């Protein structure tokens, strides 16, 4: 699972069992069979190869590849102006070791590329996008956890194309709210930060430094920093959570004003990662979408292949951003 930080993160199954005690996994447990609704071909549109080449030429990484997203063919294969990729800032190596994530880990990743903010703006301008999603690895090795680098990228995007809607799926910046504010007030339209799972499973699923209440604090502060900022989060299911725990997590997110929510099936990226405990049915995902609407989320995307950076949701979220912008203009 990579080069973890000073022994803080368990490095093998035995250490995880010791660390989590009663959450010990059964080593004889077999991987669940893939259900019929997940046995689908991944489409590869005609522009897939071109977008991949463009990204390589500008030395940009994407979470689409690093996290092995099942929707990569659909998102990358569209016509110019409709294709999209979630650009992963600050390299492809993370300082954390979450048990669900396939992104590479290291104590000290390579230094940041100072040209990345401009290169990102150049790529987005070339693709003719109206909506772009940024994300990043965690960089606990940096004094500000990379907040200034992310904020600079957002500013460059807005300079290159002022009408562009920018969403950023951010790290938690180790709970440093000054860093949260730096990103939230940089011209960003949608501040996303994922809760990932229910509170009981958080110490087991996520890196020990990624805390449930800390995530709520980050999302709450982002909302307080900028009037009308759209906030967004995501929950993975199929990790052993109960229905009541999912509902409580949704309620916790609404209590701090989170506007948009996605729910998707956890998929085990490699044999070294957490096993899937349950393949949630499409009917249950439809139920969670209904619950989201009842709780007051402005947009809830819920489905087996839904991911936090979900292309089909961009249209709806863009409309929310534009409506709030118009409301602010009228008020002024």
């Amino acid at each position: 699972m990579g080069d973890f930080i000073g022994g803080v993160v368990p490095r093998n199954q035995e250490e995880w069992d010791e660390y989590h005690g009663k959450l010990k996994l059964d080593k004889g447990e077999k991987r669940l069979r893939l259900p019929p609704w997940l046995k689908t071909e991944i489409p590869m549109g005609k522009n897939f190869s071109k977008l991949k080449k463009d990204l390589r030429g500008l030395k940009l990484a994407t979470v689409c590849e690093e996290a092995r997203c099942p929707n990569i063919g659909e998102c990358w294969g569209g016509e110019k102006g409709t294709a999209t990729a979630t650009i992963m800032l600050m390299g492809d190596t993370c300082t954390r070791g979450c048990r669900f994530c396939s992104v590479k880990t290291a104590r000290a990743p390579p230094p940041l590329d100072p040209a990345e903010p401009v290169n990102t703006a150049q790529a987005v301008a070339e693709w003719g996008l109206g909506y772009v999603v940024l994300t990043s690895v965690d960089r606990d090795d940096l004094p500000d956890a990379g907040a200034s680098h992310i904020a600079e990228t957002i500013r460059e995007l807005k300079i290159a194309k002022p009408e562009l809607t920018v969403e950023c799926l951010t790290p938690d910046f180790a709970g440093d709210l000054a860093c949260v504010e730096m990103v939230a007030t940089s011209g960003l339209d949608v501040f996303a930060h994922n809760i990932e799972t229910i509170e009981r499973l958080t110490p087991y699923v996520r890196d020990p430094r990624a805390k449930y209440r800390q995530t709520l604090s980050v999302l709450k502060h982002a909302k307080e920093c900028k009037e009308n900022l759209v906030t967004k989060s995501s929950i993975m299911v199929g990790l052993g959570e109960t229905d009541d725990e999912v509902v409580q997590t949704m309620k916790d997110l609404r209590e701090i004003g989170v506007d948009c929510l996605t729910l998707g099936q956890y998929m085990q990226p490699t044999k070294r990662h957490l096993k899937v405990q349950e393949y949630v049915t499409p009917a249950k995902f439809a139920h969670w979408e209904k619950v989201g609407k009842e709780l007051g989320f402005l947009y809830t995307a819920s489905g087996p292949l839904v991911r936090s950076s979900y292309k089909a949701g961009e249209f709806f979220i863009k409309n929310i951003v534009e409506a709030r912008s118009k409301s602010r203009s009228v008020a002024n």
Side-chain angles (χ1 to χ4, degrees):
M1 287 186 62
D3 183 13
F4 294 113
I5 319 304
V8 173
V9 180
R11 292 164 292 185
N12 52 47
Q13 185 64 61
E14 288 74 17
E15 290 185 15
W16 274 108
D17 290 345
E18 181 179 358
Y19 182 79
H20 294 292
K22 64 182 179 181
L23 287 171
K24 185 172 182 178
L25 294 175
D26 176 7
K27 292 181 184 179
E29 180 185 356
K30 294 182 179 179
R31 298 174 72 180
L32 297 180
R33 288 181 176 274
L34 205 64
W37 59 84
L38 287 174
K39 293 179 180 178
T40 58
E41 290 188 13
I42 299 175
M44 295 291 177
K46 65 180 182 179
N47 286 319
F48 181 92
S49 297
K50 182 183 184 306
L51 181 53
K52 186 170 184 176
K53 183 178 179 181
D54 289 347
L55 289 162
R56 293 296 168 277
L58 292 168
K59 299 180 180 179
L60 297 177
T62 70
V63 75
C64 316
E65 295 173 290
E66 296 297 328
R68 307 185 184 197
C69 180
N71 302 313
I72 187 170
E74 177 187 355
C75 294
W76 285 28
E79 298 289 341
K80 184 174 179 179
T82 64
T84 184
T86 299
I87 297 170
M88 190 164 70
L89 303 176
M90 303 193 293
D92 62 358
T93 306
C94 188
T95 54
R96 297 193 182 178
C98 296
R99 292 198 73 199
F100 66 87
C101 183
S102 61
V103 174
K104 293 185 291 187
T105 62
R107 291 184 180 89
L112 300 182
D113 177 4
E116 186 174 55
V118 172
N119 283 345
T120 301
Q122 177 185 335
V124 171
E126 169 64 24
W127 295 330
L129 304 179
Y131 193 115
V132 66
V133 181
L134 307 174
T135 188
S136 75
V137 292
D138 280 279
R139 291 297 300 261
D140 300 286
D141 58 314
L142 301 174
D144 67 352
S148 58
H149 188 85
I150 295 172
E152 182 184 354
T153 304
I154 295 166
R155 286 191 291 269
E156 289 290 346
L157 285 165
K158 288 293 189 175
I159 290 170
K161 192 172 183 180
E163 69 275 19
L164 180 70
T165 301
V166 181
E167 174 182 330
C168 186
L169 177 59
T170 76
D172 60 20
F173 306 111
D176 187 335
L177 299 184
C179 293
V180 174
E181 184 168 356
M182 189 185 305
V183 173
T185 58
S186 63
L188 188 63
D189 299 296
V190 182
F191 185 103
H193 179 55
N194 288 346
I195 197 85
E196 305 293 10
T197 188
I198 53 116
E199 188 166 18
R200 173 178 58 86
L201 292 177
T202 294
Y204 179 55
V205 172
R206 303 173 73 188
D207 184 282
R209 289 162 289 183
K211 300 173 176 62
Y212 184 90
R213 295 291 159 182
Q214 182 168 276
T215 287
L216 292 176
S217 174
V218 166
L219 286 162
K220 182 172 186 260
H221 191 69
K223 196 79 168 178
E224 294 168 345
C225 288
K226 181 183 177 183
E227 185 181 6
N228 290 329
L229 180 67
V230 175
T231 52
K232 178 182 172 185
S233 196
S234 183
I235 303 171
M236 296 179 294
V237 294
L239 286 162
E241 67 288 330
T242 67
D243 286 0
D244 286 345
E245 288 173 320
V246 174
V247 171
Q248 185 58 56
T249 303
M250 295 171 77
K251 287 180 177 178
D252 289 343
L253 292 169
R254 275 304 299 145
E255 281 181 11
I256 57 168
V258 170
D259 301 295
C260 305
L261 177 67
T262 64
L263 298 98
Q265 172 70 52
Y266 166 66
M267 304 287 284
Q268 184 180 7
T270 76
K271 291 181 179 179
R272 299 191 301 274
H273 293 83
L274 285 171
K275 290 185 175 70
V276 176
Q277 299 301 310
E278 176 190 8
Y279 283 116
V280 177
T281 65
K284 179 52 69 72
F285 277 111
H287 168 72
W288 293 134
E289 184 168 344
K290 180 182 177 183
V291 171
K293 291 178 181 177
E294 291 171 350
L295 288 174
F297 289 101
L298 298 180
Y299 171 72
T300 305
S302 180
L305 294 179
V306 168
R307 295 297 179 262
S308 56
S309 304
Y310 185 52
K311 182 182 177 184
E314 291 178 6
F315 172 78
F316 298 97
I317 297 174
K318 187 176 178 65
N319 283 344
I320 294 169
V321 170
E322 291 176 351
R324 288 192 173 179
S325 178
K326 289 177 182 177
S327 175
R328 186 168 62 248
S329 297
V330 170
N332 292 336

